[in-house]
Amino acid sequence: MTMNDRPIWRPNCFSIEQWEQLSREEQIDWWNASQQTLDGTRSPNHAADLYARGVITKNEVFLYVFERITVENVKSFLVTCPQEILNWVMDGANRLPSDGDDKGWDEFGLTSGRTYAPWLSDAEVRSAEEEHRKQLREGVRIFRAVMKSIGP
């Protein structure tokens, strides 16, 4: 696919006619802006709802949480998280490599169902995947530190 090719994917909020009237650059700009908006609202607090609706599985809950947890939202998550979900997250934290185990984290096989827009280069995809792994590892570190500070 070249940069002049039209994206195959069309968001549902556009009719076919509206979407086709946009240039490829306008389509890409729209897609990029929509992703930034989505990322800005990401919160670990949505894990229980997503699980209840069948959007994520029990085994995906802890990864969802760790990918989104921050120093700013961890306490809110702990206060609002149902105990069953929190137990799964704690179990997940126990199964992942320790914070200082760089080799273990490098070997940790993270499989995601992420898809990337066709106009992204291989380097951009690799960079996005690396950022994803960093977010996950940092989320685990934050979660463990808070859990350790509040004790058993």
Side-chain angles (χ1 to χ4, degrees):
M1 179 178 284
T2 68
M3 282 303 291
N4 293 328
D5 292 336
R6 304 291 283 183
I8 297 169
W9 165 99
R10 174 186 58 85
N12 292 333
C13 63
F14 284 91
S15 70
I16 294 172
E17 295 78 24
Q18 291 170 320
W19 190 246
E20 289 300 317
Q21 288 178 356
L22 298 177
S23 69
R24 178 171 173 78
E25 290 73 25
E26 289 171 323
Q27 290 175 350
I28 292 170
D29 289 346
W30 184 92
W31 187 87
N32 287 335
S34 73
Q35 295 307 301
Q36 291 170 357
T37 301
L38 292 174
D39 288 344
T41 61
R42 292 172 21 133
S43 168
N45 295 350
H46 299 296
D49 177 57
L50 292 173
Y51 173 74
R53 292 188 299 143
V55 175
I56 59 176
T57 66
K58 176 181 175 180
N59 291 325
E60 293 171 315
V61 166
F62 74 94
L63 293 173
Y64 180 90
V65 168
F66 295 143
E67 290 167 358
R68 290 157 179 81
I69 211 156
T70 64
V71 171
E72 294 79 20
N73 66 23
V74 66
K75 290 184 180 172
S76 167
F77 169 74
L78 292 174
V79 169
T80 61
C81 185
Q83 189 61 47
E84 180 180 35
I85 302 291
L86 186 57
N87 289 342
W88 297 343
V89 173
M90 288 187 294
D91 181 56
N94 292 332
R95 289 187 283 148
L96 291 169
S98 65
D99 294 342
D101 184 3
D102 292 336
K103 184 176 186 221
W105 279 100
D106 287 345
E107 293 172 355
F108 175 66
L110 182 60
T111 304
S112 72
R114 292 174 184 241
T115 57
Y116 294 93
W119 55 82
L120 294 177
S121 68
D122 289 343
E124 290 170 311
V125 170
R126 280 192 303 277
S127 176
E129 287 296 317
E130 181 60 30
E131 183 60 31
H132 176 232
R133 284 189 291 279
K134 285 180 186 177
Q135 288 174 342
L136 175 68
R137 188 172 179 178
E138 180 63 7
V140 172
R141 187 195 64 73
I142 291 167
F143 179 80
R144 287 175 175 161
V146 170
M147 294 305 291
K148 186 177 180 180
S149 74
I150 60 175

